[in-house]
Amino acid sequence: MRTAVLLALLIVFECPRLAPAQALPGTKPLELKGDLARVMLDGIDKYLTRVTQEAAVKRKEYWKPDYSTPAAYHKSVESNRDRLARILGVVDKRVGATALELVGTLERGSLVAETKAYKVYAVRWPVLPGVHGEGLLLVPTGQIQANVIVIPDADQTPEAYAGLVAESSELGYYGRQLAQHGVRVLIMTVVNRADDWSGNPASKRFTNQTHREFVYRMAYEMGRHVIGYEIQRILAAVDLFAQGEKHAPVGVFGYGEGGMLALYAAALDTRIQSTVVSGCFGPRSELWKEPIYRNVWGRLKHFDDGELLRLITPRSLIVEHSNWPAANAPPARPGRAGAAPGTLATPEFGSVANLIDGVMQTMPDKNAFPRLGISLQFGAWNQPGKESYRGPGSSKAVTLLAEALHTKFQDDKALLEWTQKPNLPDPAPRQKSQFDELVDFTQKLLPASVQKRQDFFWSKLDTSSLEKFQKSQEPLRDYFHREIIGKLPEPSVPLNPRTRLIYDTPKWKGYEVVLDVYEDVISYGILLVPNDIKPGEKRPCVVCQHGLEGRPTDVVNPKETTKYYNSFGAKLADLGFVVFAPQNPYIFGNDFRQVVRKANPLELTLYAFIYRQHQRILEFLGTLPFVDSSRIAYYGLSYGGKVAMRIPALLMGYCLSICSGDFNEWIWKNITLDWVNSYMFTIEYEMYEFDLGNTFNYAEMAALIAPRPFMVERGHNDGVGLDEYVAFEYAKVRRLYAKLGIPERTEIEFFQGGHEINLRGTLAFLRRHLNWPAK
């Protein structure tokens, strides 16, 4: 018993005194219960759900159709089409091929099979530098009446869609039927959902990401997309088939991933006269649940599937309602992990019909304007007697496609016999080649991005004077906010600060603080107020930010033993600084990452919310009589360091920024395959920001912080980066400050240590630039 009493006494005297719930003067008492970090994240999730629902109405703002003539209509939606091409990453000029290439070897020629009416060849075609499309071509022996590009689902082969293997689908039957009736059929290979090559054999780092996700990650950062690459393969084939003024009409037929690609391709290219979309069309309000390689920046802000119909009108579209393919990521297993969750679910027929009807009702009368020739069909029964499954390739859908292409197609239910036994190519090398080409093309964008950023960013900065420099920053800052971070509306509710005392130490008091941002969305943190502030005195404030999965208590609890933060907030308060430690929403593992998934299709990132939360924090700190609002600094570690690069670049209320444990050649870290700690191999699938690689690396973000003081804190043993790359990127920052005549406002500290707050050089930096203690 005596030991227990002694232990209790030690706890009382060694730990901060937990005080009764008292409010900071001038604020309301905080009565909110539960885990406030969870309340914050759940509130953001609710906000995004609500905005997703509202987007269906607000999308109308982006459409100004002119139905006076078809030509006027096409011109009126041109900006919408351009926007779609950009967010899909269809931005590279194709190489302009003039003919398909035959693929064969001395052992196996390019001729795969033949009948008396058509031949089947293994072919490929140039698309982008080093990138080809590849598949099978069914060529009628007589006159070609039309061209149809068939795009299978990701896990299906061209051989199945040509009716050459036992597991051929209904569409395999119709591919042969079309060829028998004079239609040239090109069946392309689509990057599949296996994970065999998702990694780097040289570094022995592999993941269970599907091949599609693996390409998606690196491409998204560079303003491209695995979807966009495969659309380019389709459109390169269209280029070949649409040569000459009197070319045969061109149509596309796709299922699953292929159906999605067909829909996008038809929306982008008016040369495609008829399209069948199977196993894909439907409402997209839950796009965040689908595999991450379907994530498209701003998709739901501008386009549901219904809006894509507007880009296809008045051409023919057949929506075949068939079961969507299964699309779960390969399971995690020893040596392979990191894939994002995601699955596909077939929508109800009624929701698909309602989506189409909703668009058709907004179109003018058919007599005044040629409306979209749309037909909604059920898929084929692929399993007789099991009406729970419908597959692609119904007779009606194929017949409608053929009619729209003006062919003499008839489903005569008979297939011609092969006159040459099929000699099938091995699909595995072809699949690997299709995957490797996209990886190589994207990796080559990395060195090229240096010049891209030079043209986009640095060439537009005027460094002849500080005044001109700051003026030249503003358009770039606005672009960074709107197109990279995502711009939420101004806070819509009063600040409504609520506080309660949670720490009472000899040198300072600590208060939990909750501020309102939007309905359901709060900002939360802990404020440390030194006890020795004199009446009328105004102190500088340091906003001290935790990292991934962190909490404000990690930063401000003086007895926190974590090796990362070293209680740096509490130490700064001991030295007389006012300190505010926010709770940022990158917490609760996959929960916050799925919030990012919800945000991206709305043209938002998690930083969009962090920006508004910090805007409110600065507003709150500015109301405190003991805080000098002109001397509020930001200091963040790890994920807090990511915030240090982005939020002070936008919020001018921060007078300086310190990035600890994160500054890097950020684009390289995100997409390189040559470093084992690249995000390409980890679970952090939320790291990727669309088109960041061509616009803003960390040096560019620091240039938006300038001419305010900026510092980097870097431990030699910190695994988040390599000293050489950190120094390489920082040199651009140092050069800019020197060019502006203010080299003393920036510095970097390398120290012997790891991923942690050092608080030596940074403390001197804070004292110098915050003038504390006052000289």
Side-chain angles (χ1 to χ4, degrees):
M1 176 64 74
R2 184 177 178 183
T3 301
V5 171
L6 180 60
L7 179 60
L9 288 171
L10 284 171
I11 292 173
V12 167
F13 285 102
E14 290 296 323
C15 292
R17 296 190 299 278
L18 294 179
Q22 297 174 291
L24 182 72
T27 66
K28 297 177 183 178
L30 174 59
E31 298 176 353
L32 196 59
K33 305 296 183 184
D35 186 339
L36 297 184
R38 172 55 73 180
V39 171
M40 171 193 289
L41 189 65
D42 288 350
I44 294 173
D45 185 72
K46 288 178 184 177
Y47 180 93
L48 287 168
T49 299
R50 184 168 61 249
V51 173
T52 299
Q53 294 167 349
E54 294 169 351
V57 175
K58 291 187 176 181
R59 278 194 292 269
K60 296 176 183 177
E61 300 172 9
Y62 302 105
W63 294 82
K64 309 294 180 185
D66 178 353
Y67 293 110
S68 59
T69 66
Y73 179 79
H74 286 311
K75 186 174 182 179
S76 71
V77 298
E78 187 175 351
S79 62
N80 304 92
R81 206 185 308 279
D82 291 344
R83 164 66 68 167
L84 181 63
R86 178 182 175 269
I87 64 179
L88 292 174
V90 184
V91 296
D92 297 291
K93 184 177 180 181
R94 294 188 292 279
V95 296
T98 57
L100 291 162
E101 303 170 4
L102 300 177
V103 177
T105 66
L106 291 175
E107 289 74 25
R108 189 195 61 78
S110 60
L111 182 63
V112 173
E114 66 178 306
T115 71
K116 64 181 182 180
Y118 61 89
K119 296 181 179 181
V120 182
Y121 293 97
V123 297
R124 72 173 196 166
W125 59 100
V127 180
L128 303 170
V131 176
H132 299 79
E134 195 163 350
L136 297 179
L137 181 69
L138 282 64
V139 185
T141 54
Q143 183 180 0
I144 295 173
Q145 297 183 34
N147 300 283
V148 172
I149 302 166
V150 176
I151 312 125
D153 180 54
D155 291 332
Q156 297 172 323
T157 65
E159 287 73 23
Y161 274 50
L164 290 166
V165 292
E167 65 271 20
S168 293
S169 68
E170 288 290 314
L171 198 55
Y173 165 82
Y174 285 110
R176 293 178 64 181
Q177 279 280 359
L178 287 167
Q180 287 177 193
H181 289 83
V183 177
R184 182 167 52 180
V185 179
L186 176 64
I187 310 171
M188 64 177 273
T189 301
V190 176
V191 173
N192 68 19
R193 301 187 188 94
D195 66 359
D196 302 289
W197 309 299
S198 296
N200 185 357
S203 60
K204 298 181 180 178
R205 284 300 302 265
F206 285 91
T207 79
N208 69 323
Q209 298 167 34
T210 65
H211 295 143
R212 300 189 69 77
E213 179 180 347
F214 198 72
V215 173
Y216 156 83
R217 288 196 184 194
M218 63 179 80
Y220 192 83
E221 189 84 355
M222 303 308 298
R224 273 68 167 190
H225 206 293
V226 63
I227 292 172
Y229 287 148
E230 295 195 308
I231 291 171
Q232 292 275 38
R233 284 172 165 157
I234 297 168
L235 299 187
V238 175
D239 293 340
L240 291 170
F241 291 153
Q243 296 179 88
E245 293 184 6
K246 296 183 179 181
H247 64 80
V250 179
V252 294
F253 193 133
Y255 169 67
E257 297 303 321
M260 175 188 64
L261 296 171
L263 182 64
Y264 282 136
L268 291 177
D269 197 324
T270 58
R271 297 174 299 174
I272 297 172
Q273 293 173 244
S274 184
T275 303
V276 178
V277 174
S278 182
C280 177
F281 192 90
R284 295 291 173 192
S285 60
E286 294 190 334
L287 179 60
W288 61 276
K289 289 183 178 180
E290 297 183 27
I292 195 169
Y293 50 77
R294 289 187 169 199
N295 180 50
V296 176
W297 175 251
R299 168 71 149 86
L300 294 182
K301 182 177 179 179
H302 297 273
F303 308 94
D304 197 355
D305 280 12
E307 274 72 32
L308 298 180
L309 301 186
R310 299 181 189 279
L311 295 179
I312 297 174
T313 190
R315 291 167 288 142
S316 164
L317 175 68
I318 301 100
V319 174
E320 184 180 61
H321 185 67
S322 59
N323 280 37
W324 291 23
N328 295 321
R333 53 201 187 278
R336 286 185 182 265
T343 189
L344 295 176
T346 306
E348 295 293 329
F349 179 82
S351 67
V352 175
N354 289 339
L355 183 62
I356 295 172
D357 289 343
V359 174
M360 298 299 287
Q361 288 172 10
T362 66
M363 304 289 284
D365 183 81
K366 189 172 183 179
N367 294 329
F369 182 83
R371 297 176 67 184
L372 177 68
I374 188 166
S375 174
L376 178 58
Q377 301 294 325
F378 278 108
W381 299 119
N382 276 12
Q383 298 178 14
K386 297 183 180 180
E387 296 191 357
S388 61
Y389 182 84
R390 288 179 182 271
S394 65
S395 174
K396 183 64 174 177
V398 176
T399 300
L400 288 171
L401 172 67
E403 288 176 355
L405 296 176
H406 311 296
T407 71
K408 299 176 182 178
F409 174 80
Q410 290 183 346
D411 182 7
D412 53 20
K413 306 299 181 185
L415 291 177
L416 297 174
E417 295 293 328
W418 299 115
T419 57
Q420 174 178 310
K421 185 177 179 181
N423 181 19
L424 304 182
D426 184 351
R430 180 181 61 204
Q431 177 66 225
K432 188 173 190 304
S433 173
Q434 293 287 275
F435 169 77
D436 286 345
E437 286 181 352
L438 299 186
V439 170
D440 292 345
F441 180 86
T442 310
Q443 290 296 309
K444 288 176 182 176
L445 296 174
L446 181 57
S449 69
V450 176
Q451 186 61 48
K452 290 285 186 181
R453 293 191 299 274
Q454 173 64 35
D455 296 341
F456 171 82
F457 185 89
W458 296 104
S459 66
K460 297 172 185 174
L461 288 179
D462 186 343
T463 57
S464 60
S465 71
L466 282 179
E467 182 181 358
K468 291 181 178 179
F469 172 74
Q470 289 173 290
K471 186 176 180 180
S472 67
Q473 284 176 307
E474 287 313 305
L476 295 165
R477 181 175 286 114
D478 180 65
Y479 186 96
F480 184 56
H481 197 173
R482 286 184 297 101
E483 299 291 345
I484 303 298
I485 299 298
K487 195 167 188 176
L488 286 163
E490 291 288 335
S492 56
V493 294
L495 189 62
N496 191 24
R498 289 94 76 201
T499 65
R500 62 183 165 219
L501 184 66
I502 61 167
Y503 293 122
D504 190 351
T505 76
K507 292 188 176 182
W508 46 265
K509 291 180 175 63
Y511 299 85
E512 282 189 304
V513 179
V514 170
L515 311 169
D516 289 337
V517 183
Y518 302 107
E519 181 185 350
D520 297 321
V521 180
I522 63 169
S523 180
Y524 156 63
I526 297 176
L527 175 71
L528 307 186
V529 183
N531 293 331
D532 63 348
I533 297 178
K534 299 178 177 63
E537 181 185 6
K538 288 184 177 289
R539 295 270 181 99
C541 177
V542 183
V543 174
C544 298
Q545 189 66 67
H546 63 76
L548 180 65
E549 301 294 340
R551 293 177 180 268
T553 50
D554 297 335
V555 171
V556 303
N557 187 342
K559 299 303 177 183
E560 179 60 57
T561 58
T562 173
K563 63 181 180 179
Y564 304 119
Y565 303 107
N566 295 318
S567 301
F568 78 109
K571 290 176 180 177
L572 288 170
D574 285 344
L575 295 169
F577 292 93
V578 177
V579 169
F580 190 87
Q583 174 70 63
N584 271 359
Y586 35 76
I587 189 171
F588 303 118
N590 194 61
D591 288 357
F592 93 81
R593 294 190 171 99
Q594 290 298 89
V595 166
V596 177
R597 286 290 317 273
K598 273 191 175 182
N600 281 179
L602 297 169
E603 213 168 78
L604 297 169
T605 65
L606 200 63
Y607 298 113
F609 290 93
I610 294 172
Y611 171 87
R612 292 302 183 193
Q613 289 172 324
H614 279 252
Q615 180 184 21
R616 297 246 99 170
I617 290 167
L618 289 172
E619 185 181 341
F620 167 69
L621 293 174
T623 68
L624 300 178
F626 49 83
V627 171
D628 183 348
S629 60
S630 68
R631 291 188 292 164
I632 301 177
Y634 183 95
Y635 186 177
L637 173 71
S638 193
Y639 226 120
K642 301 181 203 325
V643 176
M645 299 309 305
R646 292 162 177 80
I647 302 308
L650 297 175
L651 277 176
M652 305 306 289
Y654 282 120
C655 70
L656 67 79
S657 182
I658 300 174
C659 177
S660 178
D662 187 68
F663 191 88
N664 224 312
E665 212 288 21
W666 181 250
I667 309 305
W668 169 81
K669 179 178 179 177
N670 272 274
I671 79 165
T672 186
L673 302 180
D674 295 329
W675 186 48
V676 294
N677 289 339
S678 167
Y679 284 124
M680 284 299 302
F681 306 119
T682 70
I683 189 58
E684 287 100 335
Y685 57 81
E686 85 285 356
M687 288 296 177
Y688 296 89
E689 298 160 273
F690 184 69
D691 203 26
L692 192 69
N694 296 307
T695 53
F696 298 90
N697 205 334
Y698 271 12
E700 286 77 16
M701 295 181 202
L704 293 181
I705 295 171
R708 292 164 290 161
F710 172 72
M711 183 175 179
V712 173
E713 185 177 49
R714 162 72 190 169
H716 285 305
N717 302 322
D718 190 345
V720 304
L722 299 172
D723 283 353
E724 296 87 337
Y725 282 82
V726 173
F728 168 79
E729 189 69 11
Y730 176 75
K732 304 171 194 176
V733 181
R734 178 64 172 74
R735 179 176 60 198
L736 172 66
Y737 276 75
K739 215 172 192 181
L740 292 170
I742 50 172
E744 72 283 355
R745 295 189 192 179
T746 187
E747 60 184 87
I748 186 169
E749 179 193 32
F750 289 96
F751 65 92
Q752 189 56 39
H755 192 62
E756 59 187 309
I757 293 288
N758 193 42
L759 200 60
R760 286 173 174 77
T762 53
L763 177 58
F765 191 79
L766 287 168
R767 281 179 159 162
R768 181 166 69 255
H769 292 289
L770 295 179
N771 192 26
W772 181 257
K775 294 178 183 177

